[in-house]
Amino acid sequence: MHDIQTQEDLYLLVDEFYKKLLSDASISYIFTDVVKIKIEEHLPILVTFWSQAILGTGGYVKNLTQIHLDVNAKEYLSPELFKIWLAHFFTTVDESFKGEKAEQIKTQALSIGTIMQIKIAQEKGKKM
């Protein structure tokens, strides 16, 4: 196995990752019923995000936190959902890649999930 080196590697990663998410009934409803993503439009955005984060390419301009807070306003993104998301992400990375960038992307995914859960808890606290 090789390390994550290119945007093509990242496309493979996010494509396989979303196949796992969409086939898991415990989380797929977020993408199919709540957000109703168009996967063919969503994957290039994710590749751009991860490419900027891991390969330093730039180009991602959306507000990742606000996007997830908007989803949470429609359907609570529980800590359990983040655990499922992270488990599928780690599995997908480990199935295809090994190396520094592979470890970096897993660490960054864990950080993002943690930050999102904190932001969601803060939003919940504001509403009480």
Side-chain angles (χ1 to χ4, degrees), residues 8-95:
E8 291 76 22
D9 290 339
L10 290 168
Y11 189 91
L12 171 72
L13 173 63
V14 295
D15 186 47
E16 289 301 314
F17 172 55
Y18 268 79
K19 286 176 184 172
K20 285 178 175 47
L21 289 177
L22 294 172
S23 66
D24 183 340
S26 65
I27 195 168
S28 63
Y29 71 96
I30 296 292
F31 303 97
T32 58
D33 300 339
V34 178
V35 181
K36 298 179 183 173
I37 64 166
K38 293 183 174 92
I39 197 71
E40 65 281 352
E41 294 173 11
H42 192 58
L43 290 182
I45 294 167
L46 292 170
V47 170
T48 300
F49 171 80
W50 286 114
S51 182
Q52 177 170 300
I54 301 303
L55 303 176
T57 57
Y60 185 82
V61 295
K62 297 180 183 234
N63 183 332
L64 183 67
T65 302
Q66 191 58 54
I67 290 168
H68 288 84
L69 290 175
D70 292 347
V71 173
N72 185 68
K74 296 177 186 177
E75 180 75 24
Y76 176 54
L77 298 178
S78 68
E80 184 59 34
L81 288 172
F82 280 99
K83 286 179 189 169
I84 294 165
W85 179 88
L86 201 59
H88 284 307
F89 193 83
F90 278 24
T91 298
T92 307
V93 172
D94 290 341
E95 286 173 348

